[in-house]
Amino acid sequence: ACIATLFAKIGFDGYVKPVAPFGYLGVFDRTGKPAPLYANLPHTEGIAAAAIASTPVGIDIERLDRSAAKVLK
């Protein structure tokens, strides 16, 4: 739903899907042709974000109550 909302805001009729074997999200128009857009959909416990850009884009989200010491072990 996040990506559909972003696409509607920029007037783009398309979709995203994982691109194997690379593991990134590809953006495609309704005919299946790759679009000149990049997508990122990070998520963690109860939080999600979405970004669409004309250049590679990435977002990192973490809960404020997550202990960095536990992550680094």
Side-chain angles (χ1 to χ4, degrees):
C2 282
I3 289 293
T5 301
L6 286 174
F7 282 171
K9 287 184 181 281
I10 64 171
F12 179 73
D13 186 21
Y15 61 96
V16 297
K17 71 176 183 179
V19 177
F22 308 109
Y24 66 87
L25 288 176
V27 180
F28 302 87
D29 66 19
R30 285 287 167 210
T31 67
K33 180 180 174 187
L37 297 171
Y38 297 84
N40 185 249
L41 296 171
H43 58 87
T44 189
E45 300 170 32
I47 303 168
I52 301 291
S54 59
T55 61
V57 62
I59 301 172
D60 183 31
I61 57 175
E62 298 291 339
R63 295 181 58 90
L64 290 175
D65 61 356
R66 186 170 180 187
S67 169
K70 288 181 182 178
V71 173
L72 297 173
K73 284 186 178 181

